[in-house]
Amino acid sequence: MKYKVISLNLSLIFLIAVLFAAFGGALCVTHTAVTTSAKERMLPIYSVETDKKQISITFDAAWSAEDTDKLIEILKKHNAKATIFCVGDWVRNNPDAVKKFHNAGHEIGNHSDTHALFTSVNAEKVEKEIKNCNEEIKKVIGKTPALCRAPSGDYDNKSIEICERLDMKMIQWDVDSLDWKLLSVDEMYNRVIQKVQNGSIILFHNGVENTPEALNKILTKLKTDGYEFVTVSELIYWENYEIDHTGRQIQTPVK
């Protein structure tokens, strides 16, 4: 009889241990997951909530500079001011192109120094990428950029926090021309026209074969529709704002 009681108790202890491993462990994992995700995911500015028919044309500059004069000519034709996000390496190799864009009234932004993906490197490297690019741009135009765009749009909390610490805003886009895929002029035109709205930030790249012709066609249509083309710094709010879950910047009442 005594042996049977001991056996039963051991069986009960074993069962409790199994249940704890199955459910207690799961509870621990769940708690860890909640703790890990407790920090809210930060977002850059994708677009701006505004009643004004204003949009921003942006270029990521990392490739050829051969179409610089052509792009400047097209933008001037449509009275459009663009924001050019330059990679530091591109600035070093094409300082004259940077000067031309700047002297034509276009805004120069930061696109990292070597196009290193921000989520793949540590915070020290991200800060170095941004600062080094800022220095290269300042050497050429005499001023430090106020805007940064993550290489390939690859951002995370640490990179946004670093930008804010450097008094910069991180900028994404809500309309992508996909020109880097070498789309046709009509394909790019249809993509942009169908998606653009007040406060949109449109992404193009320099050094792409069909981009100048597509840009001209797109600006012609948008200008007819009553849009004004301003730099990103002119489009966004610099204070008293929030960013919704889509990355759209919304101005908030002054308290």
Side-chain angles (χ1 to χ4, degrees):
M1 178 66 68
K2 190 174 182 179
Y3 175 80
K4 289 182 179 179
V5 171
I6 293 173
S7 298
L8 179 60
N9 288 343
L10 288 174
S11 298
L12 183 59
I13 292 170
F14 177 75
L15 178 60
I16 291 172
V18 170
L19 289 173
F20 178 80
F23 295 100
L27 288 173
C28 289
V29 171
T30 302
H31 176 72
T32 302
V34 170
T35 302
T36 302
S37 61
K39 188 173 183 180
E40 184 178 355
R41 180 170 180 261
M42 301 175 72
L43 291 173
I45 299 170
Y46 280 74
S47 63
V48 176
E49 183 70 34
T50 178
D51 293 331
K52 298 178 182 178
K53 289 186 73 75
Q54 293 183 332
I55 56 179
S56 287
I57 305 297
T58 70
F59 293 87
D60 286 358
W63 300 328
S64 169
E66 293 180 359
D67 58 0
T68 298
D69 291 336
K70 185 180 294 185
L71 292 175
I72 290 174
E73 180 183 349
I74 293 169
L75 291 167
K76 181 178 180 180
K77 172 184 174 182
H78 297 283
N79 194 27
K81 298 303 181 185
T83 300
I84 320 297
F85 289 96
C86 305
V87 172
D89 282 341
W90 188 82
V91 176
R92 282 185 283 273
N93 293 326
N94 303 282
D96 289 342
V98 180
K99 287 179 184 177
K100 285 181 178 180
F101 277 121
H102 174 67
N103 291 340
H106 304 295
E107 181 176 30
I108 306 299
N110 183 314
H111 196 36
S112 84
D113 195 47
T114 66
H115 210 268
L117 298 182
F118 286 170
T119 63
S120 301
V121 297
N122 61 28
E124 183 180 1
K125 173 66 172 174
V126 171
E127 186 164 351
K128 184 177 180 181
E129 284 283 319
I130 296 173
K131 285 184 173 180
N132 286 355
C133 183
N134 277 350
E135 290 172 5
E136 291 300 323
I137 291 172
K138 188 175 182 179
K139 288 178 188 176
V140 177
I141 66 171
K143 60 185 297 186
T144 302
L147 306 176
C148 177
R149 173 171 283 165
S152 300
D154 184 51
Y155 63 86
D156 55 12
N157 281 15
K158 74 173 185 293
S159 55
I160 296 176
E161 288 170 347
I162 290 168
C163 275
E164 291 182 348
R165 191 166 71 246
L166 296 173
D167 293 324
M168 302 176 73
K169 303 292 187 190
M170 183 171 283
I171 306 298
Q172 200 79 340
W173 60 86
D174 67 322
V175 181
D176 191 346
S177 68
L178 289 182
D179 54 357
W180 60 274
K181 286 190 173 184
L182 303 182
L183 299 185
S184 69
V185 170
D186 287 341
E187 286 174 325
M188 279 190 267
Y189 173 85
N190 290 330
R191 279 189 59 82
V192 173
I193 297 303
Q194 289 171 9
K195 296 182 178 182
V196 74
Q197 59 181 317
N198 288 8
S200 278
I201 298 174
I202 308 174
L203 171 64
F204 293 97
H205 294 78
N206 70 328
V208 181
E209 183 179 357
N210 291 327
T211 296
E213 185 178 349
L215 177 68
N216 184 55
K217 186 173 182 178
I218 289 166
L219 294 183
T220 298
K221 169 61 176 172
L222 294 179
K223 189 175 180 180
T224 300
D225 290 343
Y227 284 103
E228 179 186 6
F229 313 110
V230 299
T231 65
V232 173
S233 283
E234 293 172 319
L235 181 71
I236 66 174
Y237 304 117
W238 286 91
E239 55 185 14
N240 302 317
Y241 68 85
E242 60 185 20
I243 298 176
D244 71 13
H245 69 284
T246 69
R248 193 159 178 84
Q249 188 189 41
I250 303 169
Q251 192 164 40
T252 55
V254 178
K255 296 181 180 180

